[in-house]
Amino acid sequence: MSDAVVAQKEPYEVELEPGTYWWCACGRSKSQPFCDGSHEGTGLSPVELKVSKTETFWLCGCKATKDQPHCDGAHNKL
Ligand code: FES
Ligand code: FES
């Protein structure tokens, strides 16, 4: 399995409407913070995020969070 790569060393602030989203865990997507299929062949998979009401999220950009898909401050230690 390949390691995740850092997309950016800070979270992505996104306002999401109700729906299902797929957070990029591998760091290779060109549509950060969401999966665009670029994880193929890495052994890594996107993480599902279900949103029930419109809300602002801070989604991890460094991919080192222990609270996927949310930023947990781990980017401060990179
Ligand atoms: Fe990164 Fe799909 S492109 S998890
Ligand atoms: Fe990854 Fe904050 S951006 S933990």
Side-chain angles (χ1 to χ4, degrees):
M1 190 164 87
S2 308
D3 289 333
V5 298
V6 176
Q8 67 173 28
K9 285 188 178 177
E10 59 184 339
Y12 293 91
E13 181 179 349
V14 287
E15 186 178 276
L16 299 178
E17 295 176 358
T20 300
Y21 299 84
W22 293 93
W23 173 77
C24 169
C26 76
R28 292 164 176 78
S29 173
K30 298 279 184 280
S31 315
Q32 292 295 332
F34 303 110
C35 174
D36 72 353
S38 298
H39 60 271
E40 197 177 325
T42 63
L44 297 166
S45 306
V47 172
E48 184 177 29
L49 173 63
K50 282 192 196 297
V51 175
S52 53
K53 65 176 170 64
T54 301
E55 203 175 327
T56 299
F57 294 87
W58 286 268
L59 299 180
C60 175
C62 75
K63 314 304 178 184
T65 180
K66 297 270 189 286
D67 184 28
Q68 298 180 347
H70 308 283
C71 171
D72 72 353
H75 63 270
N76 288 314
K77 299 189 195 102
L78 296 180

Coordinates of all heavy atoms in Angstrom, one line a residue:
M1 N 0.8 -1.2 0.0 CA 0.0 0.0 0.0 C 0.9 1.3 0.0 O 1.9 1.3 0.7 CB -0.9 0.0 1.2 CG -2.0 1.1 1.2 SD -3.3 0.7 2.4 CE -2.6 1.5 3.9
S2 N 0.5 2.2 -0.8 CA 1.3 3.5 -0.9 C 0.9 4.4 0.3 O -0.2 4.3 0.8 CB 1.0 4.2 -2.2 OG 1.2 3.4 -3.3
D3 N 1.8 5.3 0.7 CA 1.5 6.3 1.7 C 0.6 7.4 1.1 O 0.8 7.7 -0.1 CB 2.8 6.9 2.2 CG 3.6 5.9 3.1 OD1 2.9 5.0 3.7 OD2 4.8 6.0 3.2
A4 N -0.1 8.0 1.9 CA -0.8 9.2 1.5 C 0.2 10.3 1.3 O 1.2 10.3 2.0 CB -1.9 9.6 2.6
V5 N -0.1 11.2 0.4 CA 0.8 12.4 0.2 C 0.0 13.6 0.7 O -1.2 13.6 0.8 CB 1.2 12.6 -1.3 CG1 2.0 11.4 -1.8 CG2 0.0 12.8 -2.1
V6 N 0.8 14.6 1.1 CA 0.2 15.9 1.6 C -0.3 16.7 0.5 O 0.4 17.0 -0.4 CB 1.3 16.7 2.4 CG1 0.7 18.0 2.9 CG2 1.9 15.9 3.6
A7 N -1.6 17.0 0.5 CA -2.2 17.8 -0.5 C -1.9 19.3 -0.2 O -1.5 20.1 -1.0 CB -3.7 17.6 -0.7
Q8 N -2.1 19.6 1.1 CA -1.7 20.9 1.6 C -1.7 20.8 3.1 O -2.3 20.0 3.7 CB -2.7 22.1 1.2 CG -4.1 22.0 1.8 CD -4.9 23.2 1.4 OE1 -4.8 23.9 0.4 NE2 -5.9 23.5 2.3
K9 N -0.8 21.7 3.7 CA -0.6 21.5 5.2 C -1.6 22.3 6.0 O -1.2 23.0 7.0 CB 0.9 22.0 5.5 CG 1.9 20.9 5.1 CD 3.3 21.3 5.6 CE 4.3 20.2 5.2 NZ 5.6 20.6 5.6
E10 N -2.8 22.4 5.6 CA -3.9 23.0 6.3 C -5.2 22.4 5.8 O -5.2 21.8 4.8 CB -3.8 24.5 6.1 CG -4.0 24.9 4.7 CD -3.8 26.5 4.5 OE1 -4.0 27.2 5.5 OE2 -3.6 26.9 3.4
P11 N -6.3 22.6 6.6 CA -7.5 22.0 6.2 C -8.2 22.8 5.0 O -7.8 23.9 4.8 CB -8.4 22.1 7.5 CG -7.8 23.2 8.3 CD -6.3 23.2 7.9
Y12 N -9.1 22.2 4.4 CA -9.9 22.8 3.4 C -11.2 23.2 4.1 O -11.9 22.3 4.6 CB -10.3 21.9 2.2 CG -9.1 21.5 1.4 CD1 -8.3 20.4 1.7 CD2 -8.7 22.3 0.3 CE1 -7.2 20.0 0.9 CE2 -7.6 21.9 -0.5 CZ -6.9 20.8 -0.2 OH -5.8 20.5 -1.0
E13 N -11.6 24.5 4.1 CA -12.8 24.9 4.6 C -13.9 24.8 3.5 O -13.7 25.5 2.5 CB -12.7 26.4 5.2 CG -14.0 26.9 5.8 CD -13.9 28.3 6.3 OE1 -12.7 28.8 6.4 OE2 -14.9 28.9 6.6
V14 N -14.9 24.0 3.8 CA -15.9 23.9 2.7 C -17.3 23.9 3.4 O -17.5 23.3 4.4 CB -15.8 22.5 2.0 CG1 -14.6 22.6 1.0 CG2 -15.6 21.3 2.9
E15 N -18.2 24.6 2.7 CA -19.6 24.5 3.1 C -20.3 23.5 2.3 O -20.3 23.6 1.1 CB -20.3 25.9 3.0 CG -21.7 25.9 3.6 CD -22.4 27.3 3.5 OE1 -22.1 28.1 4.3 OE2 -23.1 27.4 2.5
L16 N -20.9 22.5 2.9 CA -21.5 21.4 2.2 C -23.0 21.3 2.5 O -23.4 21.5 3.6 CB -20.8 20.1 2.6 CG -19.3 20.0 2.4 CD1 -18.8 18.6 2.9 CD2 -19.0 20.1 0.9
E17 N -23.7 21.1 1.4 CA -25.1 20.9 1.4 C -25.4 19.4 1.8 O -24.5 18.6 1.6 CB -25.8 21.3 0.1 CG -25.6 22.7 -0.2 CD -26.1 23.1 -1.5 OE1 -26.6 22.3 -2.3 OE2 -26.1 24.3 -1.8
P18 N -26.6 19.1 2.2 CA -26.9 17.7 2.5 C -26.6 16.8 1.4 O -26.8 17.1 0.2 CB -28.4 17.7 2.8 CG -28.6 19.1 3.3 CD -27.7 20.0 2.5
G19 N -26.0 15.6 1.7 CA -25.6 14.7 0.6 C -24.5 13.8 1.1 O -24.1 13.9 2.3
T20 N -24.0 13.0 0.2 CA -22.9 12.1 0.5 C -21.6 12.6 -0.3 O -21.7 12.8 -1.5 CB -23.2 10.7 0.1 OG1 -24.4 10.3 0.9 CG2 -22.1 9.7 0.4
Y21 N -20.5 12.7 0.4 CA -19.3 13.1 -0.1 C -18.2 12.1 0.1 O -18.3 11.3 1.1 CB -18.9 14.5 0.5 CG -19.9 15.6 0.2 CD1 -21.0 15.7 1.1 CD2 -19.8 16.4 -0.8 CE1 -22.0 16.7 0.9 CE2 -20.8 17.4 -1.1 CZ -21.8 17.5 -0.2 OH -22.8 18.5 -0.5
W22 N -17.2 12.1 -0.7 CA -16.0 11.2 -0.6 C -14.8 12.0 -0.4 O -14.3 12.7 -1.4 CB -16.0 10.2 -1.8 CG -17.2 9.3 -1.8 CD1 -18.3 9.5 -2.4 CD2 -17.3 8.1 -1.0 NE1 -19.2 8.5 -2.1 CE2 -18.6 7.6 -1.3 CE3 -16.4 7.4 -0.2 CZ2 -19.1 6.4 -0.8 CZ3 -16.9 6.2 0.4 CH2 -18.2 5.7 0.1
W23 N -14.2 12.0 0.8 CA -13.0 12.7 1.1 C -11.8 11.9 0.6 O -11.7 10.7 0.8 CB -12.9 12.9 2.6 CG -11.6 13.5 3.1 CD1 -11.2 14.8 3.0 CD2 -10.6 12.8 3.8 NE1 -10.0 15.0 3.6 CE2 -9.6 13.7 4.1 CE3 -10.4 11.5 4.1 CZ2 -8.4 13.4 4.7 CZ3 -9.2 11.1 4.8 CH2 -8.2 12.1 5.1
C24 N -10.9 12.6 -0.1 CA -9.7 12.0 -0.6 C -8.7 11.7 0.5 O -8.3 12.7 1.2 CB -9.0 13.0 -1.6 SG -7.3 12.4 -2.1
A25 N -8.4 10.5 0.8 CA -7.5 10.0 1.8 C -6.1 9.9 1.3 O -5.1 9.9 2.1 CB -8.0 8.7 2.4
C26 N -5.9 9.8 0.0 CA -4.6 9.5 -0.6 C -3.8 10.7 -0.9 O -2.6 10.7 -1.0 CB -4.7 8.6 -1.8 SG -5.3 9.6 -3.3
G27 N -4.5 11.9 -1.0 CA -3.8 13.1 -1.2 C -3.5 13.4 -2.7 O -2.9 14.4 -3.1
R28 N -3.9 12.5 -3.6 CA -3.5 12.6 -5.0 C -4.6 13.2 -5.9 O -4.3 13.5 -7.1 CB -3.2 11.2 -5.5 CG -1.9 10.7 -5.0 CD -1.7 9.2 -5.2 NE -0.5 8.6 -4.7 CZ -0.2 8.3 -3.5 NH1 -1.1 8.5 -2.5 NH2 1.0 7.8 -3.1
S29 N -5.8 13.4 -5.3 CA -6.9 14.0 -6.1 C -6.5 15.4 -6.6 O -5.9 16.2 -5.9 CB -8.2 14.0 -5.3 OG -9.2 14.7 -6.0
K30 N -7.0 15.7 -7.8 CA -6.9 17.1 -8.3 C -8.1 17.9 -7.9 O -8.2 19.1 -8.3 CB -6.7 17.0 -9.9 CG -5.5 16.3 -10.3 CD -4.2 17.2 -10.3 CE -3.0 16.5 -10.9 NZ -2.4 15.5 -9.9
S31 N -9.1 17.3 -7.3 CA -10.3 18.0 -6.8 C -10.4 18.0 -5.3 O -11.4 17.7 -4.8 CB -11.5 17.3 -7.4 OG -11.4 16.9 -8.7
Q32 N -9.3 18.3 -4.7 CA -9.2 18.4 -3.2 C -10.3 19.2 -2.6 O -10.7 20.3 -3.2 CB -7.9 18.9 -2.7 CG -6.7 17.9 -3.0 CD -6.8 16.6 -2.2 OE1 -7.4 16.6 -1.2 NE2 -6.3 15.6 -2.8
P33 N -10.9 18.8 -1.5 CA -10.5 17.7 -0.7 C -11.3 16.4 -1.0 O -11.3 15.5 -0.2 CB -10.9 18.2 0.7 CG -12.2 19.0 0.5 CD -12.0 19.7 -0.8
F34 N -11.8 16.4 -2.2 CA -12.7 15.2 -2.6 C -11.9 14.3 -3.5 O -11.1 14.7 -4.3 CB -14.0 15.7 -3.2 CG -14.7 16.6 -2.2 CD1 -14.9 17.9 -2.5 CD2 -15.2 16.1 -1.1 CE1 -15.5 18.8 -1.6 CE2 -15.9 16.9 -0.2 CZ -16.0 18.3 -0.5
C35 N -12.3 13.0 -3.5 CA -11.8 12.0 -4.3 C -12.1 12.2 -5.8 O -13.2 12.5 -6.1 CB -12.3 10.6 -3.9 SG -11.8 9.2 -4.9
D36 N -11.1 12.0 -6.7 CA -11.4 12.0 -8.1 C -11.0 10.7 -8.8 O -10.9 10.7 -10.0 CB -10.7 13.2 -8.8 CG -9.2 13.1 -8.8 OD1 -8.6 12.1 -8.3 OD2 -8.5 13.9 -9.5
G37 N -10.7 9.7 -8.0 CA -10.4 8.4 -8.5 C -8.9 8.2 -8.6 O -8.4 7.1 -9.0
S38 N -8.1 9.2 -8.3 CA -6.6 9.1 -8.5 C -5.9 8.1 -7.5 O -4.8 7.8 -7.6 CB -6.0 10.5 -8.3 OG -6.4 11.4 -9.3
H39 N -6.7 7.6 -6.5 CA -6.1 6.7 -5.6 C -5.9 5.3 -6.2 O -5.3 4.4 -5.6 CB -7.0 6.5 -4.3 CG -8.4 6.0 -4.7 ND1 -9.4 6.9 -5.0 CD2 -8.9 4.8 -4.8 CE1 -10.5 6.2 -5.3 NE2 -10.2 4.9 -5.2
E40 N -6.4 5.1 -7.4 CA -6.4 3.8 -8.0 C -4.9 3.3 -8.0 O -4.0 4.0 -8.4 CB -6.9 3.9 -9.5 CG -7.2 2.5 -10.0 CD -7.9 2.6 -11.4 OE1 -8.6 3.5 -11.7 OE2 -7.5 1.7 -12.2
G41 N -4.7 2.1 -7.5 CA -3.4 1.5 -7.5 C -2.6 1.8 -6.3 O -1.5 1.2 -6.1
T42 N -3.1 2.6 -5.4 CA -2.4 3.0 -4.2 C -2.7 2.1 -3.0 O -2.0 2.0 -2.0 CB -2.7 4.4 -3.7 OG1 -4.1 4.5 -3.4 CG2 -2.3 5.4 -4.8
G43 N -3.9 1.4 -3.1 CA -4.4 0.6 -2.0 C -5.1 1.4 -1.0 O -5.6 0.9 0.0
L44 N -5.2 2.7 -1.2 CA -5.9 3.6 -0.3 C -7.3 3.9 -0.9 O -7.6 3.8 -2.1 CB -5.2 5.0 -0.2 CG -3.8 4.9 0.4 CD1 -3.0 6.1 0.2 CD2 -3.9 4.6 1.9
S45 N -8.3 4.2 0.0 CA -9.7 4.4 -0.4 C -10.2 5.7 0.2 O -9.8 6.1 1.2 CB -10.5 3.3 0.1 OG -10.0 2.1 -0.3
P46 N -11.1 6.3 -0.5 CA -11.7 7.6 0.0 C -12.6 7.3 1.2 O -13.0 6.1 1.5 CB -12.6 8.1 -1.1 CG -12.9 6.9 -2.0 CD -11.7 6.0 -1.8
V47 N -12.9 8.3 2.0 CA -13.7 8.1 3.2 C -15.0 8.9 3.0 O -15.0 10.0 2.6 CB -12.9 8.7 4.4 CG1 -13.8 8.8 5.7 CG2 -11.7 7.9 4.7
E48 N -16.1 8.2 3.3 CA -17.4 8.7 3.1 C -17.8 9.7 4.2 O -17.5 9.5 5.4 CB -18.4 7.6 3.2 CG -19.9 8.0 2.9 CD -20.8 6.8 2.8 OE1 -20.5 5.8 3.6 OE2 -21.8 6.8 2.1
L49 N -18.4 10.8 3.8 CA -18.9 11.9 4.7 C -20.3 12.1 4.3 O -20.6 12.6 3.2 CB -18.1 13.2 4.5 CG -18.6 14.4 5.3 CD1 -18.5 14.1 6.8 CD2 -17.8 15.6 4.9
K50 N -21.2 11.8 5.3 CA -22.6 12.0 5.1 C -23.0 13.3 5.8 O -22.7 13.5 7.0 CB -23.5 10.9 5.6 CG -23.5 9.6 4.8 CD -24.6 8.7 5.3 CE -24.5 7.3 4.8 NZ -24.7 7.0 3.5
V51 N -23.6 14.2 5.0 CA -24.0 15.5 5.6 C -25.5 15.6 5.6 O -26.2 15.4 4.6 CB -23.4 16.7 4.7 CG1 -23.9 18.0 5.1 CG2 -21.9 16.6 4.7
S52 N -26.1 16.0 6.8 CA -27.5 16.0 6.9 C -28.1 17.4 6.8 O -29.3 17.6 6.5 CB -28.0 15.3 8.1 OG -27.3 15.8 9.2
K53 N -27.3 18.4 7.2 CA -27.8 19.8 7.0 C -26.6 20.6 6.6 O -25.4 20.3 6.8 CB -28.4 20.3 8.3 CG -27.4 20.4 9.5 CD -28.1 21.0 10.7 CE -27.3 21.0 12.0 NZ -26.0 21.7 12.0
T54 N -26.9 21.7 5.9 CA -25.8 22.5 5.3 C -24.9 23.1 6.5 O -25.5 23.6 7.5 CB -26.4 23.7 4.6 OG1 -27.2 23.2 3.5 CG2 -25.3 24.6 4.0
E55 N -23.6 22.8 6.3 CA -22.7 23.1 7.4 C -21.3 23.4 6.9 O -21.0 22.9 5.8 CB -22.7 21.9 8.4 CG -22.3 22.1 9.8 CD -22.4 20.9 10.6 OE1 -23.3 20.0 10.4 OE2 -21.5 20.7 11.5
T56 N -20.5 24.1 7.7 CA -19.1 24.3 7.3 C -18.2 23.2 7.9 O -18.4 22.9 9.1 CB -18.7 25.7 7.7 OG1 -19.5 26.6 7.0 CG2 -17.2 25.9 7.3
F57 N -17.4 22.7 7.1 CA -16.4 21.6 7.6 C -15.0 22.0 7.3 O -14.7 22.8 6.3 CB -16.7 20.3 6.8 CG -18.0 19.7 7.1 CD1 -19.2 20.0 6.4 CD2 -18.2 18.7 8.1 CE1 -20.4 19.5 6.7 CE2 -19.4 18.1 8.4 CZ -20.5 18.5 7.7
W58 N -14.1 21.6 8.1 CA -12.7 21.7 7.9 C -12.1 20.3 7.6 O -11.9 19.6 8.6 CB -12.0 22.4 9.1 CG -12.3 23.9 9.1 CD1 -11.6 24.9 8.6 CD2 -13.5 24.5 9.7 NE1 -12.3 26.1 8.8 CE2 -13.4 25.9 9.5 CE3 -14.6 24.0 10.4 CZ2 -14.4 26.8 9.9 CZ3 -15.6 24.9 10.8 CH2 -15.5 26.3 10.6
L59 N -12.0 20.0 6.4 CA -11.5 18.7 5.9 C -10.0 18.7 5.8 O -9.4 19.6 5.2 CB -12.2 18.3 4.6 CG -13.8 18.3 4.7 CD1 -14.4 17.9 3.4 CD2 -14.3 17.3 5.8
C60 N -9.5 17.6 6.3 CA -8.0 17.5 6.4 C -7.4 17.5 5.0 O -7.8 16.8 4.1 CB -7.6 16.2 7.1 SG -5.9 15.8 7.1
G61 N -6.4 18.4 4.8 CA -5.6 18.5 3.6 C -4.3 17.8 3.6 O -3.7 17.4 2.6
C62 N -3.8 17.6 4.9 CA -2.5 16.9 5.0 C -2.6 15.4 5.0 O -1.6 14.8 4.8 CB -1.8 17.4 6.3 SG -2.4 16.7 7.8
K63 N -3.8 14.9 5.2 CA -4.1 13.5 5.2 C -3.5 12.7 6.3 O -3.4 11.5 6.3 CB -3.6 12.8 3.8 CG -4.1 13.6 2.6 CD -5.6 13.9 2.5 CE -5.9 14.7 1.3 NZ -7.4 15.1 1.3
A64 N -3.0 13.4 7.4 CA -2.4 12.8 8.5 C -3.3 12.7 9.7 O -3.0 12.2 10.8 CB -1.1 13.5 8.9
T65 N -4.5 13.3 9.6 CA -5.5 13.3 10.7 C -5.8 11.9 11.1 O -5.9 11.0 10.4 CB -6.8 14.0 10.3 OG1 -7.7 14.0 11.4 CG2 -7.5 13.4 9.1
K66 N -6.1 11.8 12.5 CA -6.6 10.5 13.0 C -8.1 10.6 13.1 O -8.7 9.6 13.6 CB -6.0 10.3 14.4 CG -4.5 10.2 14.5 CD -4.1 8.8 14.3 CE -2.6 8.6 14.6 NZ -1.8 9.0 13.4
D67 N -8.7 11.7 12.7 CA -10.2 11.8 12.7 C -10.7 12.0 11.3 O -11.4 13.0 11.1 CB -10.5 13.0 13.7 CG -12.0 13.2 13.9 OD1 -12.7 12.2 13.8 OD2 -12.4 14.3 14.1
Q68 N -10.3 11.2 10.4 CA -10.8 11.3 9.0 C -12.3 11.5 8.9 O -13.0 10.7 9.6 CB -10.3 10.1 8.2 CG -8.8 9.9 8.1 CD -8.5 8.7 7.3 OE1 -9.3 7.8 7.0 NE2 -7.2 8.5 7.0
P69 N -12.8 12.4 8.1 CA -12.1 13.2 7.1 C -11.8 14.6 7.7 O -11.4 15.5 7.0 CB -13.1 13.4 6.0 CG -14.4 13.4 6.7 CD -14.2 12.4 7.9
H70 N -11.9 14.8 9.0 CA -11.8 16.1 9.6 C -10.4 16.4 10.1 O -9.7 15.5 10.5 CB -12.8 16.2 10.8 CG -14.2 15.8 10.5 ND1 -15.1 16.6 9.8 CD2 -14.8 14.6 10.7 CE1 -16.2 15.9 9.6 NE2 -16.1 14.7 10.2
C71 N -10.1 17.7 10.0 CA -8.8 18.1 10.5 C -8.7 18.0 12.0 O -9.7 18.3 12.7 CB -8.6 19.6 10.2 SG -7.1 20.4 10.9
D72 N -7.7 17.4 12.6 CA -7.5 17.2 14.0 C -6.3 18.0 14.5 O -5.9 17.7 15.7 CB -7.5 15.7 14.4 CG -6.2 15.1 14.0 OD1 -5.4 15.7 13.3 OD2 -6.0 13.9 14.4
G73 N -5.7 18.8 13.7 CA -4.6 19.6 14.1 C -3.2 18.9 13.8 O -2.2 19.5 14.0
A74 N -3.3 17.7 13.3 CA -2.0 17.0 13.0 C -1.1 17.7 12.0 O 0.1 17.5 12.0 CB -2.4 15.6 12.5
H75 N -1.7 18.6 11.2 CA -0.9 19.3 10.2 C 0.1 20.2 10.9 O 1.1 20.6 10.3 CB -1.8 20.1 9.2 CG -2.6 21.2 9.9 ND1 -3.8 20.9 10.4 CD2 -2.3 22.4 10.2 CE1 -4.3 22.1 11.0 NE2 -3.4 23.0 10.8
N76 N -0.1 20.6 12.1 CA 0.8 21.4 12.8 C 2.1 20.7 13.2 O 3.1 21.4 13.5 CB 0.1 22.0 14.1 CG -0.9 23.0 13.8 OD1 -0.7 23.9 13.0 ND2 -2.1 22.8 14.4
K77 N 2.1 19.4 13.1 CA 3.3 18.7 13.5 C 4.1 18.2 12.3 O 5.0 17.4 12.4 CB 2.9 17.5 14.4 CG 2.2 17.9 15.7 CD 2.0 16.7 16.6 CE 1.0 17.0 17.7 NZ -0.3 16.4 17.5
L78 N 3.6 18.6 11.1 CA 4.3 18.1 9.9 C 5.6 18.9 9.6 O 5.6 20.1 9.9 CB 3.4 18.1 8.7 CG 2.2 17.2 8.8 CD1 1.4 17.3 7.5 CD2 2.6 15.7 8.9
Ligands
FES1 FE1 -7.5 10.3 -3.1 FE2 -9.5 8.9 -4.2 S1 -8.2 10.3 -5.2 S2 -8.8 8.8 -2.2
FES2 FE1 -4.6 17.5 8.2 FE2 -5.2 19.5 9.8 S1 -5.0 19.5 7.6 S2 -4.8 17.5 10.4

